[in-house]
């Protein structure tokens, strides 16, 4: 349908947290090997391959964004996914949270508004076709996130530590140099400010 409708460019949200798998080095660049640890990651990588195929066969232009771990307003917590949303929900309900792998697991959290700006920037036809990491630029452990949520919400979270799951990398930190260089994107909302905005929405 995109080819028939003469769509000029597709901006696809892949997943920097899922397509790379266990990191052999940090931060993870776009050249890092892709070894997904879940069906979700395999599916994202498959779509990336389809996009490349359609470009070669039909000249359908594309940009792939590989976000790390976005969070923010309207984030669903019904399936227990998204640490920031789950932790804030726990601050309201008092329900315990489960830390798979413990407080030392680190993730590259960043605000959803910054992700939206990356999508808009990538739609510009002057941006070179390819894949770009999008993230916060720094690793934050789950322990640090808990401390921050407790401070901002003035609550004490109930935490249960469990062994890591085989599809959860112990650390995710993306190198966002390429996006900064090629279309001037960088995260603008810090973790504290972003959580404050998200907490206001939750309340």
């Amino acid at each position: 349908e995109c080819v028939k409708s003469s769509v000029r460019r597709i901006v696809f949200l892949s997943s920097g947290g899922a397509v790379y798998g266990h990191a052999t080095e940090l931060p993870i660049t776009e050249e890092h090997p892709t070894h997904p640890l879940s069906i979700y990651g395999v599916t994202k990588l498959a779509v990336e391959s389809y996009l490349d195929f359609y470009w070669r066969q039909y000249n359908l232009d594309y940009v792939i964004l590989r976000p790390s771990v976005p969070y923010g307003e309207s984030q669903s917590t019904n399936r227990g996914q998204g640490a920031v949303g789950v932790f804030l929900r726990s601050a309201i309900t008092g329900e315990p949270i489960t830390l798979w792998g413990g407080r030392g697991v680190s993730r590259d959290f960043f605000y959803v508004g910054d992700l939206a700006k990356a999508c808009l920037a990538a739609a510009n036809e002057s941006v070179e076709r390819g894949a770009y990491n999008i993230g916060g630029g720094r690793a934050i452990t789950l322990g640090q996130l808990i401390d921050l949520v407790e401070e901002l919400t003035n609550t004490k979270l109930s935490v249960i530590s469990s062994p890591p799951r085989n599809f959860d990398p112990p650390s995710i930190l993306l190198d966002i140099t390429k996006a900064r260089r090629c279309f001037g994107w960088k995260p603008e909302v810090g973790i504290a400010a972003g959580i404050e905005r998200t907490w206001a929405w939750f309340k």
Side-chain angles (χ1 to χ4, degrees), residues 34-173:
T34 50
H35 298 298
L37 300 176
S38 65
I39 294 299
Y40 174 76
V42 170
T43 302
K44 290 289 190 180
L45 198 57
V47 175
E48 291 189 16
S49 296
Y50 272 113
L51 289 172
D52 186 65
F53 169 80
Y54 271 84
W55 170 71
R56 287 183 284 106
Q57 293 294 318
Y58 303 107
N59 202 34
L60 179 60
D61 196 20
Y62 68 88
V63 165
I64 296 165
L65 299 183
R66 292 174 175 169
S68 55
V69 188
Y71 69 90
E73 298 92 334
S74 299
Q75 183 174 19
S76 173
T77 61
N78 293 334
R79 295 185 296 170
Q81 294 178 323
V84 172
V86 170
F87 292 3
L88 291 176
R89 179 180 178 179
S90 175
I92 293 175
T93 64
E95 297 174 359
I97 56 177
T98 301
L99 293 188
W100 303 100
R103 294 175 65 95
V105 170
S106 64
R107 292 289 181 265
D108 182 2
F109 299 101
F110 75 113
Y111 183 61
V112 68
D114 286 328
L115 175 57
K117 290 180 180 179
C119 292
L120 292 173
N124 190 314
E125 291 182 71
S126 66
V127 177
E128 183 180 355
R129 183 186 64 258
Y132 297 86
N133 288 337
I134 302 294
R138 58 178 289 223
I140 299 170
T141 67
L142 295 183
Q144 290 172 323
L145 182 61
I146 288 172
D147 292 342
L148 184 55
V149 167
E150 289 181 337
E151 178 183 351
L152 292 175
T153 63
N154 195 29
T155 59
K156 183 68 176 177
L157 301 182
S158 175
V159 180
I160 300 172
S161 292
S162 293
R165 299 171 294 188
N166 58 8
F167 56 84
D168 287 331
S171 299
I172 297 174
L173 175 60

Side-chain angles (χ1 to χ4, degrees), residues 7-48:
V7 170
R8 290 183 296 186
R9 162 163 288 185
I10 292 176
V11 176
F12 174 63
L13 287 179
S14 185
S15 173
V19 301
Y20 294 118
H22 289 297
T24 58
E25 60 180 6
L26 293 175
I28 302 170
T29 69
E30 289 83 356
E31 287 70 41
H32 188 283
T34 50
H35 298 298
L37 300 176
S38 65
I39 294 299
Y40 174 76
V42 170
T43 302
K44 290 289 190 180
L45 198 57
V47 175
E48 291 189 16

